[in-house]
Amino acid sequence: MLDDDHRQHLLAVYADLHPDDFREQFLVKYARAYLPPLYEKLLCAGSTFCDPLVFCKWLGMGLLLYSYVMAFFLGRTIGGPVAGLLTLALVIHSEPIAESTYCGLFRSFSFPLGLTLLYGMAGQRNIFALGSILVSAFLYPPAFMIFWLAYALWLLPEIPKLLRESRRPLWIFLSVSVLCATAVGWFMSRTSSLGERYTRQEAREMPEWNRPYGRLQEFPIQTRGKDFNHHLLSGLNGRNHGVSVVPKWTLPSGKVNMYIPWLWLMLLGAGLCIRPIPYWLVSFFLSGIFLYWFARQSFFTLGWPDRYLLYNLPLVMLLLLPLAWGASQLLSLRTRILWRTGMLLMVAIIFLTTPLGLTLPGRCIINTEHMRDEWKALQKLPSGSLLAGWPTDLDNIPILSHKEVLVNFEHAYPLYKRHYTQVSERMNDNLRLIFATNAAAARIVVKKYGLTHAFLNRTTLSHDGRTPGIFAPFNNKASAMRHGSPPTAFLFNHVPEEYIIYKSEKFFVVDLARWLCINPSAMENL
């Protein structure tokens, strides 16, 4: 069981643990360019005790437990012990918090550190707020940007007072800011080895960026309202993970679920009219909105725009409960009881109409257990093996079998010109090899990259069913190659048994070096 992002973010660590199996380093260099150095060091330290994937799961569970503790203390700070318990319940239930945190990747620190920041700002505990800013700069820069800007906006009205009374908080904040900016700037410079970014106009003309079959599918650009609406409602939603209490209310139509958050806003919004929303939450909300807008305008200069809403709006939504609970303290006893009863009923409805988030998240979890035999067989290949095959079939091999692949779907991001030019070339050559109809064409590709093995799905080499999924423009190229010749013409449908070193019902592994008479160590003699 692994999260889809494990396949990219753990690659560099597995390459360090198995240096003899990762000699080409093409995909490893790309994965390392995006890996925050402190997180990489943390993984390396954890890998001395257990497998990196296992360590991620332990780390994710620890971060989830920490999030639950901080949720209780934050809710208690805002509205008292009962509000703390209700905040804890909603955080446990929340899909984006469970999904982002449990995987144990560097993005898993976003919600725990966000709750720490808000706890520090709500209770005037600057050491918690500044600590979360400092740690996030070394672990996940997008979260750092949200936290730093939120704290700066929160501190802004206090500057005249601090200049008159005590400048120490300002100097501490400036010192932390300089240190964090240095760390983030150095981290962002690591991608320079991948080449220049595609501009908005260039990306708009690339099928890889367009719906419905592109790798990124950013064009036509999604409306801001749709992004905002999705992340605002997601904080109260557990529909994509957990155990449903009332299955008939969790149908895909979601006719009941979609109205719950808006009723929530109406109820709590009315309660908050009694006491204004505190400025620390307003500054946190504004930081996410501004960064989302700027990231859209600058076209991925600050990373994925929706991340600034994902790690912001769900927390804002959840914290309306303890704020309204605390505000109701100003009401008369009878009115307060009625109001708080209504809030308790709303929390109960949320839990009843969406699944409980007490089990592991499932939307991005990939079950690889059914291919256990294949992963074990590939692990036994000689050191330095380089595999070709269908891109999506190669996604899990570097992590689960510790072998390099020519190219795969997971790392084929059309973001940087130099890197993606090579990815495109490898994609095309990989398809030429898979659907080769003669040994000479196959030898050209094998010699070019020093390929040693091919990991192939029998269905791919037939005309049965649709062509396996791949993104544009390679989907059309693959379909044309697959249906352009009869299956009997494909070279890999005629591999002699002595060169097939593993086969199962669906997959088989071909020793390219022996079959095509190419010894990778003497490739120049071909």
Side-chain angles (χ1 to χ4, degrees), residues 93-152:
H93 173 268
S94 178
E95 175 201 340
I97 294 178
E99 182 181 299
S100 294
T101 308
Y102 175 72
C103 58
L105 298 168
F106 50 78
R107 59 181 164 90
S108 301
F109 290 87
S110 299
F111 283 113
L113 292 176
L115 290 165
T116 304
L117 172 83
L118 293 169
Y119 174 69
M121 293 168 68
Q124 300 289 326
R125 302 174 179 90
N126 287 324
I127 188 171
F128 285 90
L130 292 173
S132 64
I133 293 172
L134 182 62
V135 174
S136 64
F138 288 88
L139 288 173
Y140 192 41
F144 157 75
M145 294 178 190
I146 299 174
F147 302 163
W148 182 89
L149 183 58
Y151 190 87

Short mmCIF file of all heavy atoms in Angstrom, two decimals, residues 93-152:
data_model
loop_
_atom_site.label_atom_id
_atom_site.label_comp_id
_atom_site.label_asym_id
_atom_site.label_seq_id
_atom_site.Cartn_x
_atom_site.Cartn_y
_atom_site.Cartn_z
N HIS A 93 -12.19 13.76 11.50
CA HIS A 93 -13.14 13.44 10.42
C HIS A 93 -12.70 13.99 9.07
O HIS A 93 -13.07 13.46 8.02
CB HIS A 93 -14.51 14.00 10.79
CG HIS A 93 -15.53 13.87 9.70
ND1 HIS A 93 -15.76 14.86 8.78
CD2 HIS A 93 -16.38 12.87 9.38
CE1 HIS A 93 -16.69 14.48 7.95
NE2 HIS A 93 -17.09 13.27 8.29
N SER A 94 -11.90 15.05 9.06
CA SER A 94 -11.62 15.80 7.84
C SER A 94 -10.80 14.99 6.84
O SER A 94 -9.71 14.50 7.15
CB SER A 94 -10.88 17.09 8.18
OG SER A 94 -10.55 17.81 7.01
N GLU A 95 -11.31 14.88 5.63
CA GLU A 95 -10.62 14.14 4.58
C GLU A 95 -9.27 14.73 4.19
O GLU A 95 -8.26 14.02 4.14
CB GLU A 95 -11.50 14.03 3.34
CG GLU A 95 -10.80 13.37 2.17
CD GLU A 95 -11.46 13.71 0.86
OE1 GLU A 95 -12.63 14.11 0.86
OE2 GLU A 95 -10.80 13.56 -0.17
N PRO A 96 -9.17 16.04 3.87
CA PRO A 96 -7.87 16.56 3.43
C PRO A 96 -6.79 16.44 4.48
O PRO A 96 -5.62 16.24 4.15
CB PRO A 96 -8.17 18.03 3.08
CG PRO A 96 -9.44 18.36 3.77
CD PRO A 96 -10.22 17.08 3.83
N ILE A 97 -7.15 16.56 5.76
CA ILE A 97 -6.14 16.44 6.81
C ILE A 97 -5.64 15.00 6.90
O ILE A 97 -4.43 14.75 6.97
CB ILE A 97 -6.70 16.92 8.16
CG1 ILE A 97 -7.00 18.42 8.09
CG2 ILE A 97 -5.73 16.62 9.29
CD1 ILE A 97 -7.61 19.00 9.34
N ALA A 98 -6.56 14.04 6.88
CA ALA A 98 -6.15 12.63 6.94
C ALA A 98 -5.35 12.24 5.71
O ALA A 98 -4.31 11.58 5.81
CB ALA A 98 -7.40 11.75 7.08
N GLU A 99 -5.82 12.65 4.55
CA GLU A 99 -5.18 12.24 3.30
C GLU A 99 -3.79 12.83 3.16
O GLU A 99 -2.84 12.15 2.76
CB GLU A 99 -6.05 12.65 2.12
CG GLU A 99 -5.50 12.23 0.78
CD GLU A 99 -6.39 12.70 -0.35
OE1 GLU A 99 -7.56 12.29 -0.39
OE2 GLU A 99 -5.91 13.49 -1.18
N SER A 100 -3.63 14.11 3.47
CA SER A 100 -2.35 14.78 3.29
C SER A 100 -1.33 14.39 4.35
O SER A 100 -0.13 14.40 4.09
CB SER A 100 -2.54 16.30 3.32
OG SER A 100 -3.29 16.75 2.23
N THR A 101 -1.80 14.04 5.54
CA THR A 101 -0.89 13.82 6.66
C THR A 101 -0.44 12.38 6.79
O THR A 101 0.74 12.12 7.06
CB THR A 101 -1.56 14.28 7.98
OG1 THR A 101 -2.04 15.62 7.82
CG2 THR A 101 -0.56 14.25 9.13
N TYR A 102 -1.32 11.43 6.60
CA TYR A 102 -0.98 10.03 6.88
C TYR A 102 0.13 9.50 5.99
O TYR A 102 0.89 8.62 6.41
CB TYR A 102 -2.22 9.14 6.75
CG TYR A 102 -1.87 7.68 6.93
CD1 TYR A 102 -1.54 7.18 8.19
CD2 TYR A 102 -1.81 6.82 5.84
CE1 TYR A 102 -1.18 5.86 8.36
CE2 TYR A 102 -1.45 5.49 6.00
CZ TYR A 102 -1.14 5.02 7.27
OH TYR A 102 -0.78 3.71 7.43
N CYS A 103 0.27 10.01 4.78
CA CYS A 103 1.25 9.46 3.84
C CYS A 103 2.68 9.64 4.31
O CYS A 103 3.59 8.93 3.86
CB CYS A 103 1.06 10.06 2.46
SG CYS A 103 1.21 11.85 2.41
N GLY A 104 2.94 10.59 5.20
CA GLY A 104 4.29 10.77 5.72
C GLY A 104 5.25 11.42 4.75
O GLY A 104 6.48 11.30 4.90
N LEU A 105 4.75 12.12 3.74
CA LEU A 105 5.58 12.85 2.80
C LEU A 105 5.82 14.27 3.31
O LEU A 105 5.29 14.66 4.35
CB LEU A 105 4.91 12.87 1.43
CG LEU A 105 4.71 11.50 0.80
CD1 LEU A 105 3.79 11.58 -0.41
CD2 LEU A 105 6.05 10.88 0.41
N PHE A 106 6.59 15.08 2.58
CA PHE A 106 6.89 16.40 3.12
C PHE A 106 5.66 17.29 3.20
O PHE A 106 5.57 18.15 4.06
CB PHE A 106 8.03 17.10 2.36
CG PHE A 106 7.90 17.13 0.86
CD1 PHE A 106 7.07 18.03 0.24
CD2 PHE A 106 8.65 16.26 0.08
CE1 PHE A 106 6.98 18.08 -1.14
CE2 PHE A 106 8.58 16.30 -1.31
CZ PHE A 106 7.73 17.22 -1.92
N ARG A 107 4.66 17.04 2.35
CA ARG A 107 3.42 17.80 2.48
C ARG A 107 2.64 17.42 3.74
O ARG A 107 1.73 18.13 4.15
CB ARG A 107 2.55 17.61 1.25
CG ARG A 107 2.14 16.16 0.95
CD ARG A 107 1.29 16.12 -0.30
NE ARG A 107 1.16 14.80 -0.89
CZ ARG A 107 0.23 13.91 -0.60
NH1 ARG A 107 -0.68 14.22 0.33
NH2 ARG A 107 0.17 12.75 -1.20
N SER A 108 3.00 16.30 4.35
CA SER A 108 2.31 15.85 5.55
C SER A 108 2.51 16.78 6.73
O SER A 108 1.77 16.72 7.71
CB SER A 108 2.78 14.44 5.93
OG SER A 108 2.55 13.53 4.89
N PHE A 109 3.51 17.64 6.66
CA PHE A 109 3.77 18.57 7.75
C PHE A 109 2.89 19.81 7.68
O PHE A 109 2.86 20.60 8.63
CB PHE A 109 5.24 19.00 7.74
CG PHE A 109 6.20 17.91 8.12
CD1 PHE A 109 6.69 17.02 7.16
CD2 PHE A 109 6.60 17.75 9.44
CE1 PHE A 109 7.56 16.00 7.51
CE2 PHE A 109 7.48 16.73 9.79
CZ PHE A 109 7.96 15.86 8.83
N SER A 110 2.17 20.00 6.59
CA SER A 110 1.42 21.24 6.39
C SER A 110 0.34 21.47 7.44
O SER A 110 0.30 22.52 8.09
CB SER A 110 0.80 21.26 4.99
OG SER A 110 1.80 21.18 4.00
N PHE A 111 -0.56 20.51 7.60
CA PHE A 111 -1.65 20.69 8.56
C PHE A 111 -1.16 20.68 10.01
O PHE A 111 -1.61 21.52 10.81
CB PHE A 111 -2.74 19.65 8.34
CG PHE A 111 -3.61 19.94 7.15
CD1 PHE A 111 -3.59 19.13 6.02
CD2 PHE A 111 -4.45 21.05 7.15
CE1 PHE A 111 -4.39 19.42 4.93
CE2 PHE A 111 -5.26 21.35 6.06
CZ PHE A 111 -5.22 20.52 4.94
N PRO A 112 -0.26 19.76 10.41
CA PRO A 112 0.23 19.83 11.80
C PRO A 112 0.89 21.16 12.12
O PRO A 112 0.65 21.75 13.18
CB PRO A 112 1.24 18.68 11.86
CG PRO A 112 0.79 17.72 10.82
CD PRO A 112 0.22 18.56 9.72
N LEU A 113 1.72 21.67 11.20
CA LEU A 113 2.39 22.95 11.44
C LEU A 113 1.41 24.11 11.34
O LEU A 113 1.56 25.12 12.03
CB LEU A 113 3.55 23.13 10.46
CG LEU A 113 4.74 22.18 10.66
CD1 LEU A 113 5.78 22.39 9.57
CD2 LEU A 113 5.37 22.40 12.03
N GLY A 114 0.39 23.98 10.47
CA GLY A 114 -0.64 25.02 10.38
C GLY A 114 -1.42 25.14 11.67
O GLY A 114 -1.70 26.25 12.15
N LEU A 115 -1.77 24.02 12.26
CA LEU A 115 -2.47 24.04 13.55
C LEU A 115 -1.57 24.62 14.64
O LEU A 115 -2.03 25.35 15.53
CB LEU A 115 -2.90 22.63 13.93
CG LEU A 115 -4.04 22.03 13.10
CD1 LEU A 115 -4.14 20.52 13.31
CD2 LEU A 115 -5.37 22.70 13.43
N THR A 116 -0.27 24.33 14.57
CA THR A 116 0.68 24.89 15.54
C THR A 116 0.78 26.41 15.39
O THR A 116 0.80 27.14 16.39
CB THR A 116 2.07 24.26 15.34
OG1 THR A 116 1.97 22.84 15.42
CG2 THR A 116 3.05 24.75 16.39
N LEU A 117 0.85 26.87 14.15
CA LEU A 117 0.89 28.32 13.91
C LEU A 117 -0.34 29.01 14.49
O LEU A 117 -0.23 30.02 15.19
CB LEU A 117 0.98 28.58 12.40
CG LEU A 117 0.86 30.04 11.98
CD1 LEU A 117 2.20 30.75 12.12
CD2 LEU A 117 0.33 30.17 10.55
N LEU A 118 -1.51 28.46 14.19
CA LEU A 118 -2.75 29.08 14.66
C LEU A 118 -2.87 29.02 16.18
O LEU A 118 -3.39 29.95 16.80
CB LEU A 118 -3.94 28.39 14.00
CG LEU A 118 -4.04 28.61 12.48
CD1 LEU A 118 -5.08 27.70 11.86
CD2 LEU A 118 -4.36 30.07 12.17
N TYR A 119 -2.37 27.95 16.76
CA TYR A 119 -2.35 27.85 18.23
C TYR A 119 -1.47 28.95 18.81
O TYR A 119 -1.84 29.59 19.82
CB TYR A 119 -1.84 26.47 18.63
CG TYR A 119 -1.63 26.30 20.12
CD1 TYR A 119 -2.71 26.25 20.99
CD2 TYR A 119 -0.36 26.17 20.65
CE1 TYR A 119 -2.52 26.08 22.36
CE2 TYR A 119 -0.15 26.00 22.01
CZ TYR A 119 -1.24 25.95 22.86
OH TYR A 119 -1.05 25.80 24.22
N GLY A 120 -0.33 29.18 18.19
CA GLY A 120 0.55 30.24 18.66
C GLY A 120 -0.03 31.62 18.49
O GLY A 120 0.07 32.47 19.39
N MET A 121 -0.68 31.87 17.36
CA MET A 121 -1.27 33.19 17.11
C MET A 121 -2.50 33.41 17.99
O MET A 121 -2.69 34.51 18.52
CB MET A 121 -1.62 33.31 15.62
CG MET A 121 -0.40 33.34 14.72
SD MET A 121 -0.80 33.14 12.96
CE MET A 121 -1.67 34.65 12.61
N ALA A 122 -3.33 32.39 18.15
CA ALA A 122 -4.55 32.55 18.93
C ALA A 122 -4.25 32.79 20.41
O ALA A 122 -4.98 33.52 21.08
CB ALA A 122 -5.44 31.31 18.77
N GLY A 123 -3.19 32.17 20.91
CA GLY A 123 -2.87 32.28 22.33
C GLY A 123 -1.71 33.19 22.64
O GLY A 123 -1.20 33.17 23.77
N GLN A 124 -1.26 33.97 21.63
CA GLN A 124 -0.12 34.87 21.81
C GLN A 124 1.13 34.10 22.25
O GLN A 124 1.93 34.59 23.04
CB GLN A 124 -0.45 35.95 22.86
CG GLN A 124 -1.64 36.82 22.51
CD GLN A 124 -1.34 37.78 21.36
OE1 GLN A 124 -0.22 38.26 21.21
NE2 GLN A 124 -2.35 38.07 20.54
N ARG A 125 1.29 32.90 21.72
CA ARG A 125 2.47 32.08 22.04
C ARG A 125 3.39 32.11 20.82
O ARG A 125 3.37 31.23 19.96
CB ARG A 125 2.05 30.65 22.37
CG ARG A 125 1.08 30.54 23.55
CD ARG A 125 0.60 29.11 23.73
NE ARG A 125 -0.32 28.97 24.85
CZ ARG A 125 -1.64 29.10 24.77
NH1 ARG A 125 -2.20 29.39 23.58
NH2 ARG A 125 -2.40 28.96 25.84
N ASN A 126 4.23 33.13 20.77
CA ASN A 126 5.03 33.37 19.57
C ASN A 126 6.03 32.27 19.28
O ASN A 126 6.41 32.05 18.12
CB ASN A 126 5.76 34.71 19.70
CG ASN A 126 4.80 35.89 19.55
OD1 ASN A 126 3.86 35.82 18.76
ND2 ASN A 126 5.02 36.94 20.31
N ILE A 127 6.48 31.57 20.32
CA ILE A 127 7.46 30.51 20.08
C ILE A 127 6.86 29.39 19.23
O ILE A 127 7.54 28.80 18.39
CB ILE A 127 8.00 29.97 21.43
CG1 ILE A 127 9.16 29.00 21.15
CG2 ILE A 127 6.89 29.26 22.21
CD1 ILE A 127 9.90 28.58 22.41
N PHE A 128 5.56 29.11 19.40
CA PHE A 128 4.90 28.10 18.57
C PHE A 128 4.73 28.60 17.14
O PHE A 128 4.97 27.85 16.18
CB PHE A 128 3.54 27.73 19.17
CG PHE A 128 3.61 26.86 20.37
CD1 PHE A 128 3.70 27.41 21.65
CD2 PHE A 128 3.61 25.48 20.26
CE1 PHE A 128 3.78 26.61 22.78
CE2 PHE A 128 3.68 24.66 21.38
CZ PHE A 128 3.77 25.23 22.65
N ALA A 129 4.31 29.85 17.01
CA ALA A 129 4.08 30.40 15.67
C ALA A 129 5.38 30.51 14.88
O ALA A 129 5.46 30.06 13.73
CB ALA A 129 3.42 31.78 15.80
N LEU A 130 6.40 31.08 15.50
CA LEU A 130 7.68 31.24 14.79
C LEU A 130 8.35 29.88 14.56
O LEU A 130 9.00 29.68 13.53
CB LEU A 130 8.60 32.16 15.59
CG LEU A 130 8.15 33.62 15.66
CD1 LEU A 130 9.04 34.40 16.61
CD2 LEU A 130 8.18 34.26 14.27
N GLY A 131 8.18 28.97 15.50
CA GLY A 131 8.73 27.63 15.31
C GLY A 131 8.12 26.92 14.12
O GLY A 131 8.83 26.26 13.34
N SER A 132 6.82 27.04 13.95
CA SER A 132 6.15 26.39 12.80
C SER A 132 6.60 27.03 11.49
O SER A 132 6.77 26.33 10.48
CB SER A 132 4.63 26.49 12.95
OG SER A 132 4.20 27.84 12.91
N ILE A 133 6.82 28.34 11.49
CA ILE A 133 7.31 29.02 10.28
C ILE A 133 8.70 28.53 9.93
O ILE A 133 9.00 28.21 8.77
CB ILE A 133 7.30 30.55 10.49
CG1 ILE A 133 5.87 31.06 10.62
CG2 ILE A 133 8.02 31.25 9.35
CD1 ILE A 133 5.77 32.52 11.02
N LEU A 134 9.57 28.46 10.93
CA LEU A 134 10.95 28.04 10.70
C LEU A 134 11.02 26.60 10.19
O LEU A 134 11.72 26.31 9.21
CB LEU A 134 11.74 28.18 12.00
CG LEU A 134 13.23 27.84 11.94
CD1 LEU A 134 13.95 28.78 10.97
CD2 LEU A 134 13.86 27.94 13.32
N VAL A 135 10.30 25.70 10.82
CA VAL A 135 10.34 24.29 10.41
C VAL A 135 9.75 24.10 9.02
O VAL A 135 10.29 23.35 8.20
CB VAL A 135 9.59 23.42 11.44
CG1 VAL A 135 9.49 21.98 10.96
CG2 VAL A 135 10.30 23.47 12.79
N SER A 136 8.67 24.81 8.73
CA SER A 136 8.03 24.65 7.41
C SER A 136 8.93 25.11 6.28
O SER A 136 8.85 24.58 5.17
CB SER A 136 6.70 25.41 7.38
OG SER A 136 6.91 26.81 7.52
N ALA A 137 9.79 26.09 6.53
CA ALA A 137 10.69 26.57 5.48
C ALA A 137 11.65 25.48 5.04
O ALA A 137 12.07 25.45 3.87
CB ALA A 137 11.47 27.79 5.98
N PHE A 138 12.01 24.58 5.94
CA PHE A 138 12.96 23.52 5.62
C PHE A 138 12.27 22.24 5.18
O PHE A 138 12.93 21.34 4.66
CB PHE A 138 13.84 23.24 6.84
CG PHE A 138 14.84 24.32 7.13
CD1 PHE A 138 14.50 25.39 7.93
CD2 PHE A 138 16.11 24.28 6.58
CE1 PHE A 138 15.43 26.39 8.21
CE2 PHE A 138 17.04 25.27 6.83
CZ PHE A 138 16.69 26.34 7.65
N LEU A 139 10.95 22.16 5.39
CA LEU A 139 10.25 20.92 5.07
C LEU A 139 9.27 21.04 3.92
O LEU A 139 9.10 20.09 3.15
CB LEU A 139 9.51 20.41 6.32
CG LEU A 139 10.39 19.83 7.42
CD1 LEU A 139 9.57 19.53 8.66
CD2 LEU A 139 11.09 18.55 6.94
N TYR A 140 8.60 22.18 3.79
CA TYR A 140 7.61 22.33 2.72
C TYR A 140 7.38 23.82 2.43
O TYR A 140 6.55 24.46 3.07
CB TYR A 140 6.30 21.66 3.12
CG TYR A 140 5.33 21.50 1.95
CD1 TYR A 140 5.78 21.12 0.69
CD2 TYR A 140 3.97 21.73 2.13
CE1 TYR A 140 4.90 20.97 -0.36
CE2 TYR A 140 3.08 21.58 1.07
CZ TYR A 140 3.56 21.20 -0.18
OH TYR A 140 2.68 21.06 -1.22
N PRO A 141 8.12 24.40 1.47
CA PRO A 141 8.05 25.83 1.19
C PRO A 141 6.65 26.40 0.95
O PRO A 141 6.38 27.51 1.40
CB PRO A 141 8.95 25.99 -0.04
CG PRO A 141 9.98 24.92 0.14
CD PRO A 141 9.20 23.75 0.71
N PRO A 142 5.74 25.72 0.22
CA PRO A 142 4.40 26.31 0.05
C PRO A 142 3.70 26.57 1.39
O PRO A 142 3.04 27.60 1.56
CB PRO A 142 3.65 25.28 -0.78
CG PRO A 142 4.71 24.59 -1.56
CD PRO A 142 5.88 24.51 -0.63
N ALA A 143 3.83 25.66 2.34
CA ALA A 143 3.25 25.87 3.67
C ALA A 143 3.94 27.04 4.36
O ALA A 143 3.29 27.87 5.02
CB ALA A 143 3.37 24.62 4.51
N PHE A 144 5.26 27.13 4.21
CA PHE A 144 5.99 28.25 4.80
C PHE A 144 5.45 29.60 4.30
O PHE A 144 5.29 30.54 5.08
CB PHE A 144 7.49 28.14 4.48
CG PHE A 144 8.21 29.45 4.55
CD1 PHE A 144 8.51 30.04 5.77
CD2 PHE A 144 8.57 30.12 3.39
CE1 PHE A 144 9.16 31.26 5.84
CE2 PHE A 144 9.22 31.34 3.44
CZ PHE A 144 9.52 31.91 4.67
N MET A 145 5.19 29.68 3.02
CA MET A 145 4.72 30.95 2.46
C MET A 145 3.37 31.36 3.06
O MET A 145 3.15 32.54 3.36
CB MET A 145 4.62 30.85 0.93
CG MET A 145 5.98 30.67 0.26
SD MET A 145 5.82 30.47 -1.53
CE MET A 145 7.49 29.98 -1.96
N ILE A 146 2.48 30.38 3.24
CA ILE A 146 1.20 30.67 3.88
C ILE A 146 1.42 31.16 5.30
O ILE A 146 0.87 32.17 5.74
CB ILE A 146 0.29 29.43 3.88
CG1 ILE A 146 -0.03 28.97 2.46
CG2 ILE A 146 -1.01 29.71 4.64
CD1 ILE A 146 -0.79 27.66 2.40
N PHE A 147 2.24 30.43 6.05
CA PHE A 147 2.44 30.73 7.47
C PHE A 147 3.16 32.07 7.66
O PHE A 147 2.78 32.88 8.52
CB PHE A 147 3.26 29.61 8.14
CG PHE A 147 2.64 28.26 8.02
CD1 PHE A 147 3.41 27.11 8.24
CD2 PHE A 147 1.30 28.08 7.68
CE1 PHE A 147 2.85 25.85 8.14
CE2 PHE A 147 0.73 26.83 7.58
CZ PHE A 147 1.52 25.71 7.80
N TRP A 148 4.20 32.30 6.85
CA TRP A 148 4.96 33.55 7.00
C TRP A 148 4.09 34.76 6.69
O TRP A 148 4.08 35.75 7.44
CB TRP A 148 6.18 33.54 6.08
CG TRP A 148 7.02 34.79 6.24
CD1 TRP A 148 8.05 34.99 7.11
CD2 TRP A 148 6.86 36.02 5.51
NE1 TRP A 148 8.55 36.26 6.99
CE2 TRP A 148 7.83 36.92 6.02
CE3 TRP A 148 6.00 36.45 4.51
CZ2 TRP A 148 7.96 38.22 5.52
CZ3 TRP A 148 6.13 37.74 4.03
CH2 TRP A 148 7.10 38.62 4.53
N LEU A 149 3.35 34.69 5.60
CA LEU A 149 2.51 35.83 5.23
C LEU A 149 1.40 36.04 6.24
O LEU A 149 1.08 37.19 6.59
CB LEU A 149 1.92 35.61 3.83
CG LEU A 149 1.07 36.75 3.27
CD1 LEU A 149 1.87 38.05 3.21
CD2 LEU A 149 0.55 36.39 1.87
N ALA A 150 0.81 34.96 6.75
CA ALA A 150 -0.24 35.09 7.77
C ALA A 150 0.31 35.76 9.03
O ALA A 150 -0.33 36.67 9.59
CB ALA A 150 -0.80 33.70 8.12
N TYR A 151 1.50 35.35 9.45
CA TYR A 151 2.08 35.94 10.66
C TYR A 151 2.46 37.40 10.41
O TYR A 151 2.27 38.25 11.29
CB TYR A 151 3.32 35.14 11.08
CG TYR A 151 3.86 35.52 12.43
CD1 TYR A 151 3.35 34.92 13.59
CD2 TYR A 151 4.87 36.46 12.58
CE1 TYR A 151 3.84 35.26 14.84
CE2 TYR A 151 5.37 36.81 13.82
CZ TYR A 151 4.84 36.21 14.95
OH TYR A 151 5.33 36.56 16.19
N ALA A 152 2.99 37.69 9.22
CA ALA A 152 3.36 39.07 8.90
C ALA A 152 2.13 39.98 8.90
O ALA A 152 2.17 41.11 9.42
CB ALA A 152 4.07 39.12 7.55
#
